[in-house]
Amino acid sequence: MSRNGPTETIAIATGGGDAPGLNAVIKAVTLGARRRGWRVLGLKDAFNGILNPDDYPDGGSIELDENTVRYIGHQGGTIIGTTNRGNPTAYPVQADDGSWSTVDRTDELIDRLQALGVDALISVGGDGSLEIAHHIHQRSLETGRGLRVIGVPKTIDNDLDQTTSTFGFDTAVSFATEAIDRLFSTAASHGRVMVVEVMGRYAGWIALHCGVATGAHGILIPEIPYRLERVADMIRQRRAAGRDYAIVVVAEGAAPVDGEITVASRSLGRAERLGGVGEKVANELERLTEMESRSVVLGHLLRGGTPTSTDRLLGLRFGGAAIRALEQGYDGVMVALAPPTVRYVSLIEATRALKTVPVFGDTVLTARDLGVCFGD
Ligand code: F6P
């Protein structure tokens, strides 16, 4: 896990879906590195810039310094770009006949970084990006190339197992909470069922937290396969008691008992795109309850905008901890939040499991005591 060696030039990459707080990480990494006299390169669009420099006017990477990172800590997105296409370990290539396959470009990536003088890589990302970081680290060790790798966890979904939380989650939940608060009055005024679809591919943290915080009547999450008949029963009971509206929050990765998740599209070299479960649920609830039902997809709105103070601080702390990790000689580790402090866990451990909602955890139990229907 630890290998000493002087650091002179570091590269930082942000990969996967963006999350509010990424720019705070970039700022803390850059300022921390510059204070130690290190050079910092920002890689464009994760590794796409470095692998395809001719496609970028700046050659796929930019120099980061005190000026470049001024006033970015409070901004959403990432100033160096991101992508969830172009995994270097399984890079999509199209043959002359139009067919697609993948090649491992990890060695080429390490060569290109080292040609730029980079001796340490900070890779900021979710489960997919951290697996890529782990692979790069392994290849570097196997081939004795000496490129050190530090991971920084990022995902609005909050589904990384080895860190108590990730930046972006608080901003997403806060925004969803505000949006759902607004839907209550229109649902009540029209006597409708409003189904709100939120992100959450493998884990229902966002749906659970905003659903409980707003007092939603139904919450459907990937961890609890649902039967819509149960949700319809809850809605009928509400109507019988004179409350002729309902709010149902559904995570995009939720699926019915004996059913499949709702996939919007599939393409080579990237995770399948989810989406559409909210509309399905609304249509089915309308059929079952004969109440007018509408769906709203919050989708990428959850990823945009200004990070909350919690997410800014977490991003800054993770960036600072990544720099201290390099200074202390760590290699192949991910920074993790372990309140009241941060710790380092090996990349292999960090990528071993996802953190899903514990179905007997206190938040789910509290929700049940509040009368929330999980469709089970
Ligand atoms: O960050 C993860 C996530 O928010 C998932 O919940 C969602 O499935 C995915 O990103 C969507 O990403 P995109 O639409 O950018 O491919």
Side-chain angles (χ1 to χ4, degrees):
M1 200 165 13
S2 172
R3 191 153 41 102
N4 287 311
T7 299
E8 284 167 14
T9 301
I10 64 171
I12 178 167
T14 53
D18 65 336
L22 279 171
N23 281 326
V25 179
I26 295 169
K27 178 175 179 168
V29 161
T30 303
L31 295 184
R34 299 293 298 153
R35 277 173 73 87
R36 288 161 174 80
W38 305 344
R39 197 175 155 229
V40 187
L41 289 180
L43 306 185
K44 297 301 270 308
D45 300 341
F47 302 115
N48 278 353
I50 208 83
L51 289 173
N52 309 293
D54 296 342
D55 296 347
Y56 290 77
D58 46 24
S61 64
I62 53 167
E63 196 87 28
L64 296 176
D65 60 21
E66 294 79 352
N67 286 326
T68 353
V69 300
R70 210 181 293 279
Y71 304 124
I72 66 164
H74 61 291
Q75 288 174 19
T78 160
I79 61 163
I80 52 178
T82 187
T83 181
N84 44 23
R85 290 164 187 262
N87 173 354
T89 71
Y91 198 87
V93 280
Q94 192 167 26
D96 292 342
D97 66 2
S99 63
W100 287 90
S101 60
T102 60
V103 290
D104 187 347
R105 296 184 69 183
T106 311
D107 285 334
E108 186 188 345
L109 172 72
I110 297 174
D111 287 345
R112 286 176 187 244
L113 287 173
Q114 293 194 317
L116 291 170
V118 173
D119 49 35
L121 168 68
I122 295 178
S123 182
V124 192
D127 56 321
S129 303
L130 291 167
E131 269 171 29
I132 293 168
H134 173 58
H135 187 82
I136 296 169
H137 173 242
Q138 286 301 111
R139 273 312 284 165
S140 170
L141 282 182
E142 282 159 17
T143 55
R145 310 261 257 306
L147 175 77
R148 293 200 288 156
V149 181
I150 304 293
V152 171
K154 165 249 54 161
T155 164
I156 66 163
D157 292 354
N158 198 34
D159 57 2
L160 292 172
D161 183 46
Q162 291 295 320
T163 181
T164 304
S165 65
T166 45
F167 58 85
F169 175 65
D170 185 65
T171 309
V173 171
S174 302
F175 178 81
T177 298
E178 188 189 331
I180 296 168
D181 282 347
R182 287 167 187 256
L183 290 173
F184 265 79
S185 56
T186 173
S189 304
H190 283 266
R192 283 177 177 157
V193 176
M194 297 296 299
V195 178
V196 187
E197 180 181 316
V198 296
M199 283 189 172
R201 173 173 286 269
Y202 309 110
W205 293 105
I206 296 176
L208 178 68
H209 282 218
C210 69
V212 175
T214 54
H217 311 105
I219 301 175
L220 306 180
I221 57 176
E223 295 83 349
I224 305 178
Y226 60 80
R227 292 181 202 278
L228 282 184
E229 188 51 56
R230 301 272 156 81
V231 184
D233 277 346
M234 174 272 291
I235 293 169
R236 290 187 200 107
Q237 282 164 21
R238 283 181 54 78
R239 192 171 45 192
R243 295 186 293 276
D244 68 342
Y245 72 97
I247 302 281
V248 178
V249 182
V250 53
E252 63 181 354
V257 173
D258 303 328
E260 296 292 316
I261 54 167
T262 309
V263 174
S265 66
R266 290 188 168 88
S267 57
L268 189 78
R270 54 169 303 188
E272 51 200 10
R273 187 151 68 82
L274 303 188
V277 67
E279 195 176 344
K280 271 194 197 169
V281 166
N283 291 342
E284 189 59 11
L285 287 178
E286 182 163 294
R287 191 183 67 77
L288 290 169
T289 63
E290 295 176 355
M291 276 178 70
E292 194 178 2
S293 305
R294 297 290 175 87
S295 69
V296 176
V297 181
L298 295 183
H300 296 84
L301 289 167
L302 299 170
R303 294 219 305 241
T306 302
T308 59
S309 55
T310 299
D311 285 340
R312 284 182 217 186
L313 180 62
L314 196 50
L316 293 168
R317 289 175 70 193
F318 279 177
I323 290 298
R324 292 195 300 280
L326 286 174
E327 186 174 54
Q328 290 163 22
Y330 281 98
D331 183 24
V333 296
M334 181 190 84
V335 176
L337 183 67
T341 189
V342 291
R343 65 185 181 118
Y344 302 116
V345 292
S346 68
L347 281 171
I348 179 79
E349 204 184 333
T351 50
R352 197 166 282 146
L354 282 174
K355 180 177 65 191
T356 52
V357 171
V359 296
F360 296 107
D362 82 284
T363 311
V364 171
L365 295 180
T366 300
R368 291 194 193 275
D369 282 339
L370 290 166
V372 172
C373 172
F374 285 92
D376 58 345

